[in-house]
Amino acid sequence: NIFRFSPKNNYLAVGSEDHSIDFYEISSNGKINRVSYCKQVPGPVLQMDWSTSGQYIKVKYFIFFLF
């Protein structure tokens, strides 16, 4: 798994090898709640980076082909 905090540290994105990303909101008292998810990443998540505004996240994933 790979994880990245948003620029304001109020969100956490967790990408995994099962082609998914979970998004968690971190409240001011430290409570963590899952607020969204993406289960349609075309391959295992290798890297993620938030935009400076924290509104977008760029995802790098691995695709392999069997011949």
Side-chain angles (χ1 to χ4, degrees):
N1 290 350
I2 185 168
F3 64 92
R4 291 288 184 265
F5 289 96
S6 65
K8 294 182 181 178
N9 290 321
N10 56 339
Y11 288 98
L12 172 66
V14 180
S16 69
E17 294 178 355
D18 69 352
H19 307 205
S20 68
I21 303 171
D22 292 303
F23 295 92
Y24 298 89
E25 183 176 36
I26 304 169
S27 66
S28 59
N29 65 1
K31 186 176 178 183
I32 299 174
N33 292 314
R34 187 171 96 160
V35 293
S36 188
Y37 62 91
C38 177
K39 300 287 183 193
Q40 299 177 347
V41 179
V45 177
L46 299 176
Q47 183 178 349
M48 299 182 299
D49 291 303
W50 288 92
S51 64
T52 54
S53 68
Q55 187 175 2
Y56 303 101
I57 191 164
K58 180 170 59 171
V59 178
K60 182 177 179 181
Y61 54 87
F62 180 75
I63 295 180
F64 58 92
F65 297 97
L66 298 175
F67 294 97

